[in-house]
């Protein structure tokens, strides 16, 4: 009966809540120490142009190796880091590490493609974000054109005037800008033009079933056309198979990122991996 279930349910509920709170606190505290304890590292995923058969960029993706929890995925800890503020020092570390690594590869003559870095809205809205970017580029010696910042639509929409001025300064610095997870937010065409980003990254959720789901196909095609019309580069995220690839190719979306070519790989595997990636140019399949 309800009378008997009530207290039990309540107890169960609070226990579940306690576990959740405990987990969050564990993550929060862990994140505060993660940098000092050297638990964070970056992996890199190639971006591939299937028309020219070349690697056109690398996205840096954050990983956290926790001593007890093991490898914690970004989907679990990024939001916690944003809410607790840890994302600010962590984001700075990501920027410095990725830029320094890109410069190292360039200097060794191994690889000269832009490095894409995800920027959290919390980090972007910090006073002095522009100065931080300038400082990181200066300290690492990386040419600004080799840094691409990945931003989200929601970031651009709040405080649009302020965002616009920051983006403009970044563009003047020569840094590239991409909108990540495109299609999941609310950008209007007007914003896209005004913000002068370089590229749209079509969200993985549309690409997943693009070859079998007419709605996803329609959305993906519309994004590709819109990007072309606005003179923006377009990249498809999360490409895993031939069917997706040939759909994108048919729609003239030539830059892709996904497990089909490569999962994100550890820093010391990047160069070797890039050599091994075999890319069939579009013409070879005609
Ligand atoms: P994202 O920026 O959209 O990154 C792409 C995500 O999709 C990565 O997950 C990548 O491993 C995954 N992915 C790539 N290709 C495929 C594929 O073919 N199939 C599938 N199933 N997945 C694929 P990851 O590394 O777990 O990162 C998740 C999200 O966490 C990122 O999404 C990004 O929003 C955030 N993130 C990662 N690193 C950072 C960082 O350094 N700073 C911030 N602020 N956010 C980060
Ligand atoms: Mg990204
Ligand atoms: Mg993202
Ligand atoms: Mg994405």
């Amino acid at each position: 009966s309800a009378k008997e279930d009530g207290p039990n349910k309540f107890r169960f509920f609070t226990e579940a809540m306690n576990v959740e709170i405990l987990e969050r606190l564990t993550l929060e505290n862990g994140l505060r120490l993660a940098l000092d304890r050297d638990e964070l590292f970056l992996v890199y995923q190639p971006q591939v142009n299937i028309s020219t058969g070349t690697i056109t960029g690398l996205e840096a993706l954050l990983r956290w190796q926790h001593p007890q929890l093991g490898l914690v995925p970004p989907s679990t800890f990024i939001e916690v880091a944003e809410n607790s503020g840890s994302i600010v020092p962590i984001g700075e570390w990501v920027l410095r590490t990725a830029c320094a690594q890109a410069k190292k590869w360039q200097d060794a003559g191994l690889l000269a493609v832009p490095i894409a870095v995800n920027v959290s809205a919390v980090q972007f809205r910090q006073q002095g974000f522009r100065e931080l970017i300038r400082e990181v580029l200066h300290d690492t010696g990386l040419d600004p054109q080799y840094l691409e910042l990945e931003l989200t639509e929601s970031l651009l929409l709040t405080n649009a005037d302020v965002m616009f001025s920051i983006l403009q300064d970044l563009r003047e610095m020569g840094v590239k800008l991409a909108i990540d997870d495109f299609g999941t937010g609310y950008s209007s065409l007007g914003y896209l033009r005004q913000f002068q980003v370089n590229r749209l990254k079509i969200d993985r959720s549309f690409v997943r079933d693009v070859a079998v789901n007419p709605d996803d196909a329609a959305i993906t095609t519309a994004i590709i056309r819109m990007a072309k019309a606005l003179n923006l580069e377009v990249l498809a995220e999360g490409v895993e198979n031939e069917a997706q690839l040939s759909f994108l190719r048919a729609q003239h979306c030539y830059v892709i990122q996904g497990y089909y070519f490569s999962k994100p790989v550890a820093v010391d595997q990047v160069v070797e991996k890039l050599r091994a990636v075999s890319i069939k140019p579009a013409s070879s399949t005609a």
Side-chain angles (χ1 to χ4, degrees):
S1 74
K3 222 181 195 174
E4 283 162 26
D5 283 357
N8 284 336
K9 259 187 194 160
F10 181 71
R11 197 172 308 129
F12 173 76
F13 185 58
T14 48
E15 269 167 24
M17 268 179 37
N18 283 337
V19 169
E20 207 175 284
I21 290 168
L22 198 69
E23 266 173 13
R24 212 191 49 231
L25 283 175
T26 307
L27 293 176
E28 257 182 45
N29 292 332
L31 281 167
R32 216 165 284 138
L33 303 167
L35 272 179
D36 282 344
R37 293 185 175 172
D38 230 4
E39 293 166 2
L40 300 176
F41 62 100
L42 297 179
V43 291
Y44 298 86
Q45 188 178 35
Q47 302 174 335
V48 173
N49 184 320
I50 55 172
S51 146
T52 60
T54 52
I55 307 283
T56 58
L58 289 171
E59 179 173 4
L61 294 158
L62 185 56
R63 295 293 178 263
W64 180 22
Q65 184 70 52
H66 186 280
Q68 280 87 43
L69 303 173
L71 193 62
V72 188
S75 55
T76 304
F77 73 80
I78 292 287
E79 208 185 307
V80 178
E82 286 176 336
N83 292 332
S84 64
S86 292
I87 196 69
V88 176
I90 289 175
E92 177 173 341
W93 178 86
V94 171
L95 273 165
R96 286 187 184 280
T97 307
C99 289
Q101 186 58 57
K103 175 72 170 146
K104 211 164 145 188
W105 278 321
Q106 283 181 18
D107 287 350
L110 293 170
L111 183 69
V113 293
I115 196 98
V117 175
N118 292 283
V119 176
S120 154
V122 176
Q123 189 189 1
F124 188 87
R125 290 203 195 98
Q126 287 285 306
Q127 285 275 332
F129 181 73
R130 283 169 275 208
E131 290 69 26
L132 172 66
I133 296 295
R134 206 173 274 124
E135 189 185 298
V136 169
L137 290 169
H138 175 264
D139 292 352
T140 58
L142 185 70
D143 189 314
Q145 65 173 320
Y146 289 110
L147 174 62
E148 180 167 286
L149 301 178
E150 295 197 1
L151 315 167
T152 55
E153 288 170 89
S154 53
L155 179 155
L156 303 177
L157 294 185
T158 39
N159 262 326
D161 289 348
V162 179
M163 295 305 144
F164 179 65
S165 119
I166 300 177
L167 293 182
Q168 207 171 21
D169 286 353
L170 291 170
R171 284 301 302 274
E172 274 163 23
M173 255 181 247
V175 169
K176 295 209 172 76
L177 304 170
I179 301 188
D180 204 354
D181 309 330
F182 188 78
T184 58
Y186 302 94
S187 328
S188 71
L189 295 178
Y191 274 101
L192 283 182
R193 231 172 49 128
Q194 191 193 350
F195 282 132
Q196 294 189 18
V197 296
N198 301 81
R199 121 149 96 185
L200 307 181
K201 298 187 75 178
I202 306 171
D203 191 64
R204 183 154 59 85
S205 61
F206 303 116
V207 175
R208 189 187 307 126
D209 297 324
V210 80
V212 289
N213 181 320
D215 291 340
D216 291 337
I219 292 168
T220 301
T221 305
I223 296 174
I224 295 166
R225 299 230 172 102
M226 189 179 71
K228 293 248 179 311
L230 292 170
N231 232 332
L232 300 172
E233 292 167 33
V234 62
L235 174 153
E237 295 191 289
V239 176
E240 294 182 355
N241 57 51
E242 282 283 355
Q244 296 162 334
L245 196 68
S246 49
F247 178 93
L248 293 163
R249 185 176 273 157
Q251 299 303 321
H252 308 289
C253 175
Y254 296 119
V255 183
I256 68 119
Q257 189 180 336
Y259 296 173
Y260 183 79
F261 283 117
S262 174
K263 288 197 169 180
V265 296
V267 61
D268 52 348
Q269 285 163 30
V270 168
V271 172
E272 174 194 346
K273 179 80 202 175
L274 296 195
R275 285 210 193 92
V277 168
S278 77
I279 305 155
K280 263 186 257 158
S283 55
S284 71
T285 60

